[in-house]
Amino acid sequence: MHQSKWIILTIIIACQLIVVLDASIMVTAMPQIGRSLHMSTTSLTWVQNSYILAFGGFLLLGARAGDLLGRRRILGIGIGLFSLTSLLAGMAPTAEFLLVSRAFQGFAAALATPAALALLSATFVEAQERSRAIAMYSAVSAAGGSIGLILGGFFTDFISWRVGMFINLPIGIALLYLVLRFIQKTSTRTGRFDLWGAIVSVMGMTALVFGFVHAADQGWGKPETWISLAAGIVLLAAFVLIEARVTEPIIPLRLFASRQRSGAYLGRFLMVCGNFSLFFFIPQYLQNVLGCSSLEAGLAFLPFTGAQFGMMYLMHGLVHRFGNIKVLMTGLLFAIIGTLWMSRIVSVQAQFFPQMFILLTIMGIGAGMVFQPLTVLGLSEVDPHDSGAASGLINVAHQSGSSLGLAVLITVFNVAIRTDQPSKMQFAHGVSESILGSVIFITLALVVTFFCFVPSSQPARKQGLTDS
């Protein structure tokens, strides 16, 4: 691989890392954030959701902006805005200021991420180089949550949770310089922004997440819960109608004409619904039940992270020998087995080593085998004019799964504990039930994979989908 390509890949991976990392870096810091800004447990969930919802909701608009205004320009704007809003979030004097800053962080990430992925596709056109580049990109995307937990725990225990936001500023400035220095200007074209589509999609997802979070906090009997859920469904249906009618939609519905691509998007959504929520519940269990510190709770995910990065070096050979579909299904089976076993051992008497250590390793291997094939299949046979929208849709599936999966499983957790002040035994039971919910999501991802890919695996091989 040429040196200039390595530099571009480094820029893209670093950009993706700080964006994904910020979705989890606050998790181990939640108790300190709550004390310093006087936030309740329910309001703390929005520290993550305000970021994730804005990120996922505006990704398609960000992808469209890259297509129309040039991907280098949008990547630079996204990185610059992300750095500024990170500084504001770290300086937040009130809860409201923090939540607004986190939402703008998510918007900035929505500009930078699809532009970076589209640049990766345009830079690495040779099959072997692209496979290696996507493997590294996918490993960073998947492991960023684990790294965020560790960094968040370290800063919380030894300095302050605010440092997790401040570090983005020097990194962002360095990345902005590298983008302007090493990435060439990309072409622009005329067109329109589907602003209403973006706004309606964000409102719909926010209403759905609010409905589940409100149910977790106030119960299913409250009219606000059902009104919010109904509004979310109606708004998302309206979004589909808007996309079907506008001249230049942010998400061309023709992308779903391919069963393989549709399966890749849905499979990623379901996998992340189950996988991301583990990063929330397991650290809480380690701290509240087993008495670990914030840093110890973050370090506990090293087996998971290490296994994911280890798979990055094996994926090229595995995909070359067995194809994307077989590797994907094997990875999902690993993830299901490890997560199911984890749900059964979580208790007051459980110990981290050796059982949790081994299971987190198995789960990390599974996750490390899943995301690269899903990325390749999600970009398969996409028209060059739709590459930005396709890359944006991959990330939309990822972020939507993060927010909605967590909202659903928080509801499962609260139903299981049935009290505002759970004992250690009750808390452990709630975490166990939530992890079991993760198993259901990942199993559904396996079912989707089977029905969308296995019946047509032979034609897919001829098209280069299984070996790309």
Side-chain angles (χ1 to χ4, degrees):
M1 191 181 294
H2 195 273
Q3 183 178 5
S4 62
K5 289 187 176 182
W6 272 113
I7 295 174
I8 293 174
L9 182 59
T10 301
I11 294 170
I12 292 170
I13 287 177
C15 176
Q16 181 69 2
L17 178 60
I18 62 172
V19 165
V20 175
L21 182 148
D22 266 39
S24 65
I25 199 168
M26 295 291 203
V27 171
T28 46
M30 289 295 181
Q32 190 182 97
I33 295 172
R35 288 190 296 269
S36 62
L37 298 181
H38 310 291
M39 300 177 71
S40 66
T41 303
T42 301
S43 61
L44 280 172
T45 63
W46 290 103
V47 174
Q48 280 190 282
N49 281 334
S50 60
Y51 175 82
I52 294 171
L53 286 169
F55 187 6
F58 285 107
L59 267 168
L60 297 173
L61 189 66
R64 181 67 174 159
D67 288 341
L68 296 182
L69 303 179
R71 288 159 190 163
R72 189 187 81 151
R73 177 185 297 175
I74 294 301
L75 178 61
I77 292 173
I79 291 173
L81 183 59
F82 189 85
S83 303
L84 176 60
T85 52
S86 295
L87 176 64
L88 294 176
M91 297 171 60
T94 64
E96 293 78 11
F97 193 97
L98 174 63
L99 297 183
V100 172
S101 299
R102 288 283 284 171
F104 276 103
Q105 260 191 306
F107 175 74
L111 295 178
T113 301
L117 185 55
L119 283 169
L120 184 149
S121 298
T123 303
F124 300 94
V125 293
E126 193 271 324
Q128 187 173 355
E129 283 189 350
R130 175 176 288 192
S131 179
R132 290 176 179 175
I134 290 178
M136 296 177 69
Y137 179 91
S138 300
V140 168
S141 298
S146 301
I147 297 171
L149 290 175
I150 296 170
L151 288 177
F154 176 82
F155 292 139
T156 300
D157 278 353
F158 294 102
I159 311 175
S160 169
W161 64 268
R162 298 178 185 273
V163 179
M165 296 290 97
F166 290 148
I167 61 171
N168 289 331
L169 184 61
I171 295 174
I173 292 173
L175 279 176
L176 192 57
Y177 167 78
L178 292 174
V179 166
L180 297 175
R181 173 73 189 278
F182 292 102
I183 296 181
Q184 296 181 350
K185 289 183 179 181
T186 52
S187 60
T188 62
R189 56 189 176 92
T190 58
R192 296 181 179 181
F193 287 103
D194 180 18
L195 186 59
W196 276 112
I199 292 174
V200 170
S201 66
V202 171
M203 291 173 61
M205 281 301 301
T206 302
L208 276 183
V209 171
F210 179 84
F212 282 109
V213 173
H214 192 272
D217 186 47
Q218 300 294 330
W220 289 98
K222 299 292 183 179
E224 294 90 342
T225 297
W226 293 104
I227 291 173
S228 180
L229 291 173
I233 294 172
V234 170
L235 286 167
L236 291 177
F239 169 69
V240 175
L241 291 177
I242 291 172
E243 299 309 283
R245 295 182 179 183
V246 297
T247 305
E248 299 183 50
I250 55 175
I251 171 170
L253 297 183
R254 58 181 173 271
L255 288 175
F256 295 99
S258 165
R259 184 174 64 182
Q260 285 82 12
R261 285 199 302 270
S262 297
Y265 302 144
L266 181 57
R268 178 181 288 268
F269 171 81
L270 292 168
M271 175 64 182
V272 177
C273 276
N275 196 57
F276 180 82
S277 302
L278 299 173
F279 297 130
F280 182 84
F281 289 108
I282 292 179
Q284 303 302 315
Y285 164 74
L286 292 171
Q287 293 179 76
N288 294 326
V289 178
L290 300 188
C292 296
S293 67
S294 298
L295 177 58
E296 289 171 337
L299 289 173
F301 271 81
L302 278 177
F304 189 103
T305 308
Q308 273 191 313
F309 275 107
M311 291 308 301
M312 177 182 71
Y313 295 100
L314 300 177
M315 281 298 292
H316 176 72
L318 289 174
V319 169
H320 180 73
R321 182 172 181 180
F322 300 106
N324 278 307
I325 294 172
K326 290 181 181 179
V327 172
L328 170 60
M329 295 187 70
T330 303
L332 287 169
L333 285 173
F334 268 97
I336 291 168
I337 292 169
T339 308
L340 178 60
W341 195 351
M342 180 70 76
S343 72
R344 297 301 89 195
I345 70 165
V346 166
S347 67
V348 176
Q349 294 81 24
Q351 295 183 353
F352 177 77
F353 193 85
Q355 281 185 308
M356 290 187 70
F357 182 94
I358 294 172
L359 293 180
L360 284 169
T361 302
I362 293 173
M363 292 155 67
I365 291 172
M369 297 175 70
V370 165
F371 289 105
Q372 180 192 344
L374 287 176
T375 300
V376 171
L377 294 165
L379 293 173
S380 63
E381 297 187 325
V382 173
D383 188 278
H385 292 295
D386 291 331
S387 61
S391 62
L393 192 54
I394 289 172
N395 284 285
V396 166
H398 205 100
Q399 299 307 317
S400 299
S402 300
S403 57
L404 193 59
L406 181 56
V408 171
L409 295 180
I410 283 176
T411 307
V412 173
F413 173 81
N414 276 19
V415 170
I417 62 174
R418 298 179 181 179
T419 178
D420 292 333
Q421 295 181 328
S423 65
K424 288 186 176 181
M425 183 176 294
Q426 289 171 317
F427 196 95
H429 174 65
V431 171
S432 175
E433 293 299 303
S434 299
I435 296 176
L436 187 59
S438 293
V439 175
I440 295 174
F441 277 124
I442 300 172
T443 302
L444 288 173
L446 179 62
V447 172
V448 167
T449 299
F450 181 82
F451 282 103
C452 288
F453 296 115
V454 172
S456 57
S457 59
Q458 190 64 32
R461 179 176 295 275
K462 293 178 181 179
Q463 297 168 5
L465 295 179
T466 59
D467 295 316
S468 58

